[in-house]
Amino acid sequence: MKTFLLAVTALLAVGFVSSQTEAWCRCAMFVSSNSAEIMVYELPEVNITDCNSHNQCKNRCTNEFNVMTNNMDLWSTVDGETVGHYICQDLYSNFIFFIHNSYVHAYYEMCGGPWEYTGLDSQQMLCCNVGQHEHCISR
């Protein structure tokens, strides 16, 4: 009987905690390497109605990526600097000094779940050299 009461109490606690959680959706850009996925820039969170709204989260992040990066154009300017510049500066501030010939991929995360691919990629490859956005040279 004690085990049953403990199980019921645990389930009620989980239900109470999950009902208190607000829905949230994160949007971020990543590059892939042989050994890791590296978050290169996180955009502002977007609002969603609940934690079952995968399409809503994906669509709102896709819209945010397109608006804030001019359709994932790394050479587009925002407030006088390129989109790539903002990414390279963010990487530099996190001690990642070099990125070469890497496409940037757009992902979303909803309510603490896994990062999911939106289907968007950068128009150009990203190259960062000690925080500076540079044109990539293919080898």
Side-chain angles (χ1 to χ4, degrees):
M1 186 67 172
K2 287 182 183 179
T3 305
F4 175 74
L5 288 175
L6 184 60
V8 169
T9 304
L11 286 173
L12 290 173
V14 168
F16 177 76
V17 169
S18 63
S19 70
Q20 300 299 314
T21 305
E22 286 188 38
W24 50 271
C25 177
R26 294 170 61 195
C27 313
M29 296 183 281
F30 290 79
V31 295
S32 301
S33 74
N34 291 336
S35 59
E37 295 290 322
I38 302 166
M39 182 188 292
V40 295
Y41 200 80
E42 185 168 1
L43 283 70
E45 278 187 20
V46 294
N47 293 323
I48 56 172
T49 54
D50 60 62
C51 289
N52 294 315
S53 303
H54 280 275
N55 284 336
Q56 186 181 56
C57 181
K58 178 182 178 181
N59 293 339
R60 289 185 180 177
C61 278
T62 298
N63 183 60
E64 185 170 63
F65 287 122
N66 287 331
V67 169
M68 293 185 74
T69 67
N70 194 24
N71 299 310
M72 300 291 285
D73 181 357
L74 300 180
W75 288 100
S76 181
T77 56
V78 177
D79 296 328
E81 297 291 348
T82 66
V83 170
H85 170 81
Y86 289 108
I87 294 170
C88 292
Q89 285 293 298
D90 194 57
L91 286 168
Y92 183 76
S93 69
N94 287 293
F95 305 105
I96 299 173
F97 304 115
F98 303 101
I99 296 281
H100 291 288
N101 297 334
S102 296
Y103 283 98
V104 179
H105 312 288
Y107 284 81
Y108 67 96
E109 176 198 29
M110 187 176 70
C111 301
W115 285 101
E116 298 186 50
Y117 180 54
T118 63
L120 297 176
D121 297 310
S122 60
Q123 295 179 29
Q124 308 86 6
M125 288 187 280
L126 177 68
C127 286
C128 300
N129 186 1
V130 192
Q132 298 302 310
H133 181 213
E134 297 181 345
H135 286 280
C136 294
I137 300 172
S138 299
R139 293 181 189 201

